Amino acid sequence: MKLHFSQNKPLKLLIDLIYPPRCPVCGQPAAVGLKICPECRRQLPLIESRRCRKCGKPVEDFEVLCPDCAKEDHFYDRGLGIYIYDETMKRAISELKYKGRREYGEVFGDLIYENARSELMDWKPDCLIPIPLHRARVRERGYNQAQIIAEALSEKCGIPTRADILIRTMETGRMKELSAKDRMNNMTCAFEAVGDRKGIRSVVLIDDIYTTGATIDAASVVLRRAGIDEIYFLAVCIGGGFMVSY
Ligand SMILES: [Zn+2]
Ligand SMILES: [Zn+2]
């Protein structure tokens, strides 16, 4: 049986007292009732500058689109990442993914909510869809970090998480050697839209990191083919670099 701690508040409180959630920045137990130390929170690399209208990457004041989006369009409508993927975020995300620190996913879900409330109000999505992992990977890791983030965000904003609409049918592995087009084809084959999509017109994809956008694009292609009209994304972090400058 799988226990849903988040739905059992007294149990969660008890577990938090015995195993206090750790702060994703300093790794120390956070103060009671907090998921992140206030001083650590201030160190997070929040993007406050002007953003690309499509992918949300930071751009210069005179730019509407970033160099990547100006060169090639994406398959989603628009989206953004909250933080720059710097050394602090890299460490925290890696602990969330590979060291079993699932509570960091909850912190990041809360932080997305605090920083993307107005986008969620504008977009009015019917549900949040975490970028799925292959089930072999979920078995090995114990959870999908994107789903933990999405569920924490759901709890704050009241928009349901639907992890049953998009599944990952294939492991994609390392694709660094592939061209952008091959990478995209590979990714598109890796996802499949399933489940009951009745009443779902607009969705927000949730992921931990957005880099080139290949994953979000591939998921968007699959969802659009399945009849979803509006597709947005929210990611905890966004890579600051651009493909075109490489
Ligand atoms: Zn801390
Ligand atoms: Zn862009």
Side-chain angles (χ1 to χ4, degrees):
M1 191 185 76
K2 206 169 170 221
L3 276 176
H4 288 278
F5 295 135
S6 59
Q7 278 150 31
N8 187 330
K9 293 250 158 71
L11 181 59
K12 184 164 185 350
L13 206 65
L14 185 67
I15 290 170
D16 283 356
L17 281 173
I18 305 169
Y19 303 103
R22 285 174 186 272
C23 164
V25 178
C26 67
Q28 296 302 309
V32 179
L34 289 183
K35 294 174 181 171
I36 180 168
C37 321
E39 58 273 26
C40 287
R41 191 194 158 110
R42 282 193 287 274
Q43 287 174 34
L44 293 178
L46 189 66
I47 300 172
E48 289 170 301
S49 65
R50 187 181 169 95
R51 288 168 172 278
C52 168
R53 199 176 59 195
K54 191 78 184 182
C55 75
K57 283 190 182 180
V59 293
E60 300 295 337
D61 280 343
F62 56 87
E63 288 176 312
V64 176
L65 294 173
C66 73
D68 284 347
C69 295
K71 193 166 165 256
E72 205 155 356
D73 200 6
H74 288 285
F75 293 91
Y76 54 81
D77 291 289
R78 66 191 294 179
L80 69 147
I82 306 302
Y83 301 103
I84 289 286
Y85 191 52
D86 70 349
E87 285 307 312
T88 303
M89 292 310 291
K90 205 177 221 172
R91 199 175 51 238
I93 297 280
S94 140
E95 302 230 325
L96 162 66
K97 279 159 91 158
Y98 309 115
K99 303 265 175 71
R101 290 266 163 236
R102 63 184 290 159
E103 72 255 46
Y104 292 3
E106 295 176 19
V107 185
F108 293 138
D110 290 1
L111 292 170
I112 289 183
Y113 174 71
E114 285 171 30
N115 292 287
R117 245 180 298 195
S118 62
E119 282 78 7
L120 286 169
M121 272 160 68
D122 276 358
W123 300 341
K124 298 183 186 61
D126 297 306
C127 68
L128 311 177
I129 300 184
I131 290 294
L133 288 183
H134 190 267
R135 62 175 191 282
R137 196 64 70 80
V138 177
R139 212 175 303 132
E140 167 197 329
R141 197 169 291 179
Y143 52 85
N144 170 5
Q145 73 281 356
Q147 189 172 344
I148 306 286
I149 297 166
E151 281 168 359
L153 177 57
S154 278
E155 216 168 295
K156 292 275 177 184
C157 68
I159 301 160
T161 290
R162 290 282 306 269
D164 60 329
I165 288 181
L166 187 69
I167 58 164
R168 194 148 187 159
T169 50
M170 244 169 43
E171 283 278 23
T172 35
R174 288 173 67 83
M175 296 197 292
K176 275 195 176 139
E177 313 73 37
L178 300 181
S179 70
K181 192 160 176 270
D182 287 343
R183 204 182 304 164
M184 178 70 196
N185 284 340
N186 247 16
M187 288 302 300
T188 311
C189 297
F191 292 120
E192 198 182 317
V194 292
D196 181 10
R197 302 184 292 275
K198 222 172 85 206
I200 307 288
R201 198 190 64 81
S202 165
V203 305
V204 180
L205 290 164
I206 305 291
D207 209 356
D208 46 359
I209 313 160
Y210 177 103
T211 41
T212 64
T215 307
I216 299 288
D217 271 331
S220 302
V221 168
V222 171
L223 289 172
R224 237 184 255 287
R225 273 187 208 144
I228 308 288
D229 282 339
E230 286 176 30
I231 301 163
Y232 304 96
F233 81 85
L234 285 173
V236 179
C237 302
I238 202 145
F242 297 107
M243 294 295 282
V244 290
S245 54
Y246 292 166

